[in-house]
Amino acid sequence: FNYNSMVDVVWSYPILSSDLHRVIGHAMCIDCPSIDEVRTFLSKDPITRLFASTSDDDDDEEKEAEYLEIANSIPLYRWRHIRDHTLRMDDGRDGNPTLVFGLDHSEEGGDEGHPLRSEKKEAHLEYLIRSERVIAAGALHLPTATKEDPSSIPVGDLVLFNS
């Protein structure tokens, strides 16, 4: 499986409406050293291709160009997963797994992210640990060309928890 790509899909789930009856989006966690490889992978993904306006009559180059354009329009973030076993106390099997995708509202922080981020980091982490409902959590960073690039700026959080 996946021998021809540097992309590994860690998880991929539909996002449901609050009544749990309609699919309103999709969330994927992808592990890959290169952002370009991720974009190429997404351009070949069947879910991404659903948004194309090309028809079967269009030539293959035209279709591939549209698929890549769609993939390039998908917002991507680097997720720096917190690997603390005291945080991840819930496996998500009992209850209703919920994903919170929060983005900072301001550009105030520049290279350090929003000022509240560093100020509230410890209190936020302690709250998540005390809840004992976290499946996984971590900061979202702006994407960089490679995943090892330390210059990526934190811009939000992703938390998976059981509600």
Side-chain angles (χ1 to χ4, degrees):
F1 177 77
N2 200 21
Y3 297 110
N4 298 325
S5 173
M6 294 175 55
V7 176
D8 288 318
V9 176
V10 179
W11 48 259
S12 174
Y13 296 111
I15 298 173
L16 303 178
S17 61
S18 58
D19 64 7
L20 305 178
H21 291 285
R22 292 175 293 121
V23 174
I24 59 171
H26 201 88
M28 296 176 90
C29 182
I30 299 170
D31 186 19
C32 183
S34 161
I35 202 80
D36 291 336
E37 289 281 336
V38 171
R39 296 273 186 214
T40 301
F41 171 81
L42 287 174
S43 74
K44 297 176 184 332
D45 183 70
I47 294 172
T48 303
R49 289 181 172 210
L50 287 174
F51 298 104
S53 62
T54 57
S55 69
D56 290 338
D57 298 334
D58 295 332
D59 72 24
D60 288 342
E61 281 185 33
E62 190 175 323
K63 287 180 189 177
E64 292 303 318
E66 183 179 8
Y67 297 149
L68 192 55
E69 183 178 327
I70 292 167
N72 286 333
S73 72
I74 296 171
L76 298 178
Y77 299 92
R78 291 220 180 268
W79 181 39
R80 303 273 165 85
H81 186 206
I82 300 171
R83 300 184 193 283
D84 182 337
H85 74 280
T86 61
L87 173 65
R88 297 177 292 150
M89 298 300 288
D90 197 320
D91 61 10
R93 295 174 195 235
D94 298 319
N96 190 17
T98 303
L99 180 141
V100 173
F101 180 90
L103 294 175
D104 299 343
H105 288 280
S106 172
E107 301 289 327
E108 290 177 42
D111 291 343
E112 299 299 319
H114 193 284
L116 282 176
R117 176 165 297 286
S118 57
E119 183 182 317
K120 300 293 183 183
K121 181 179 179 178
E122 291 303 316
H124 178 65
L125 184 57
E126 288 173 16
Y127 169 77
L128 292 175
I129 290 170
R130 280 193 317 273
S131 77
E132 296 186 358
R133 293 176 178 258
V134 175
I135 300 165
L140 294 170
H141 291 251
L142 291 177
T144 52
T146 63
K147 82 180 205 179
E148 293 84 15
D149 188 343
S151 68
S152 185
I153 300 168
V155 294
D157 291 294
L158 185 134
V159 180
L160 293 150
F161 67 96
N162 232 341
S163 58

